[in-house]
Amino acid sequence: MEESRKDLKVMVIDDSNTIRRTAETLLSKTGCDVITAVDGFDSLSKIADCQPDVIFVDIMMPRLDGYQTCALIKNNSQFRHTPVIMLSSKDGLFDKAKGRIVGADDYLTKPFSKNELFEALDRYAQPQTA
């Protein structure tokens, strides 16, 4: 599957520097083009500019949380079909259900393993053909 990651644009939105760096390092090693953002506001202009193939978004962030960010992405006709995978330190049913309501495609509990990250990516990633 790794070959299929070569030209993928992946966005990681998380207010944790550690999570952003870890995900960026893991994804970059497999050939992904990684864009990071520190919160929902920071991500919106980057999403419009970079048009990522898959977006990982933390739920608990200042200013604009993951649910709000996901809802904004999914309500935009240009990005409606972009897979959004929620990241959370809680793995509660309520959080998962709320994620589904705002349009999230999947849910990873932090700390996630390298395999979980790649499995989620492989499940949803389809590089956009120009």
Side-chain angles (χ1 to χ4, degrees), residues 32-43:
C32 293
D33 179 10
V34 185
I35 308 109
T36 60
V38 294
D39 64 28
F41 279 115
D42 184 35
S43 74

Side-chain angles (χ1 to χ4, degrees), residues 7-73:
D7 297 313
L8 278 179
K9 280 192 210 162
V10 182
M11 174 166 263
V12 179
I13 310 165
D14 199 311
D15 58 330
S16 160
N17 200 16
T18 309
I19 297 287
R20 277 197 321 274
R21 269 225 206 81
T22 303
E24 183 175 21
T25 303
L26 292 172
L27 294 165
S28 296
K29 280 182 184 167
T30 66
C32 293
D33 179 10
V34 185
I35 308 109
T36 60
V38 294
D39 64 28
F41 279 115
D42 184 35
S43 74
L44 297 176
S45 62
K46 291 180 178 181
I47 290 169
D49 291 345
C50 304
Q51 306 194 357
D53 299 304
V54 178
I55 299 169
F56 289 94
V57 60
D58 181 30
I59 292 175
M60 301 297 291
M61 295 184 296
R63 300 201 300 171
L64 200 60
D65 72 22
Y67 298 123
Q68 295 165 315
T69 303
C70 181
L72 287 168
I73 294 165

